[in-house]
């Protein structure tokens, strides 16, 4: 089925495994919402998405934490993020803000901001699938590898600003 979340705040939730605020197994639409300070010990500090559709519009995901995908983890999913902010998210391993796992995952980010995210691989995004980022800003993200983006898939950036991203083990901001 389809779940639509509109003008909702999801804060301070915890999951022992995956999806600190939401574990999605259907079509999920998030609009005009704030998802902050959520924690998962495994995948997706705020949202865990597997094999399905996730659309986020005009929303904020802030200060979420997990091992993989501080804010969002997707496995074989189709993620569309528009006019949204993903700031201050942290993964203890991959994907400070977003962890897009497997070559079947599709990620599109448009007119959004990803700032001050942290991870070991891919502070803003860890991508193994197909990713397009348009008209977006990725600033002040910090990782050991891939200051802004760690890309192990297909990646297109169009009209984006990448500024002050850092990585401690290579000399570029993206892999």
């Amino acid at each position: 089925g389809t779940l639509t979340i509109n003008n909702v705040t999801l804060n301070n939730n915890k999951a022992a495994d995956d999806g600190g605020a939401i574990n999605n197994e259907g079509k999920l639409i998030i609009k005009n919402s704030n998802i902050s300070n959520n924690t998962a010990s495994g995948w997706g500090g705020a949202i865990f998405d597997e094999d399905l559709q996730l659309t986020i519009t005009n929303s904020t995901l802030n200060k979420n934490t997990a091992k993989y995908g501080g804010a969002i983890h997707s496995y074989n999913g189709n993620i569309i993020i528009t006019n949204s902010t993903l700031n201050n998210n942290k993964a203890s391993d991959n994907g400070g803000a977003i962890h897009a796992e497997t070559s079947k995952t599709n990620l599109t980010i448009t007119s959004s901001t990803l700032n001050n995210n942290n991870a070991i691989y891919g502070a803003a995004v860890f991508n193994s699938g197909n990713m397009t980022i348009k008209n977006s800003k990725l600033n002040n993200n910090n990782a050991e590898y891939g200051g802004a983006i760690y890309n192990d898939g297909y990646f297109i950036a169009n009209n984006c600003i990448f500024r002050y991203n850092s990585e401690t083990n290579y000399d570029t901001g993206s892999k």
Side-chain angles (χ1 to χ4, degrees), residues 74-91:
S74 181
Y75 181 87
N76 293 342
N78 187 29
I79 309 166
I80 300 168
I81 300 171
T82 308
N83 295 322
S84 294
T85 301
L86 288 83
N87 288 347
N88 306 303
N89 298 289
K90 184 176 182 181

Side-chain angles (χ1 to χ4, degrees), residues 153-172:
Y154 181 76
F155 169 44
I156 296 173
N158 185 14
N159 198 34
C160 294
I161 296 172
F162 293 81
R163 191 175 292 155
Y164 308 118
N165 298 291
S166 64
E167 62 180 10
T168 57
N169 284 319
Y170 288 119
D171 58 358
T172 62

Side-chain angles (χ1 to χ4, degrees), residues 106-123:
N106 296 301
L107 171 61
T108 303
I109 301 170
T110 306
S111 302
S112 294
T113 301
L114 290 84
N115 289 341
N116 303 308
N117 298 292
N118 290 283
I120 294 175
Y121 291 89

